[in-house]
Amino acid sequence: QALWIFDLDTLRLLAANAAAERAYRYPRAEMLERTLLDLAPEEQQPILRRCFEKVAHNLVEGESRARSFQQRRKDGTLFEVELTFQACQ
């Protein structure tokens, strides 16, 4: 299962596992130069941004939310994902 950790304020990726590297086809170092918006198709970027501005900032520790989105691999191909986000300290 592809997993990454990101900063909620900047949406910058902070960590990613090997499964995320394979799914997105980025080397880990290059992936960590990206934000969540970089991994989304352009038309979904505003939706993704609103999701994290409105929903994720209101999560309490231990609570999670999930939503389906399309994501973009390094080669530009799109694939469906279910993003599950959870607040952590």
Side-chain angles (χ1 to χ4, degrees), residues 17 47 49 52 72-73 76-77 83:
N17 68 2
I47 298 164
R49 184 183 298 278
F52 288 104
R72 185 178 52 228
R73 293 183 174 100
T77 59
L83 295 181

Side-chain angles (χ1 to χ4, degrees), residues 47-82:
I47 298 164
L48 189 62
R49 184 183 298 278
R50 276 194 310 274
C51 178
F52 288 104
E53 286 173 351
K54 292 184 177 184
V55 177
H57 275 289
N58 294 319
L59 289 176
V60 296
E61 192 168 345
E63 182 182 24
S64 65
R65 294 280 190 276
R67 175 137 186 215
S68 295
F69 287 99
Q70 280 192 320
Q71 294 280 272
R72 185 178 52 228
R73 293 183 174 100
K74 183 176 181 176
D75 66 7
T77 59
L78 301 178
F79 64 110
E80 294 290 325
V81 298
E82 181 177 275

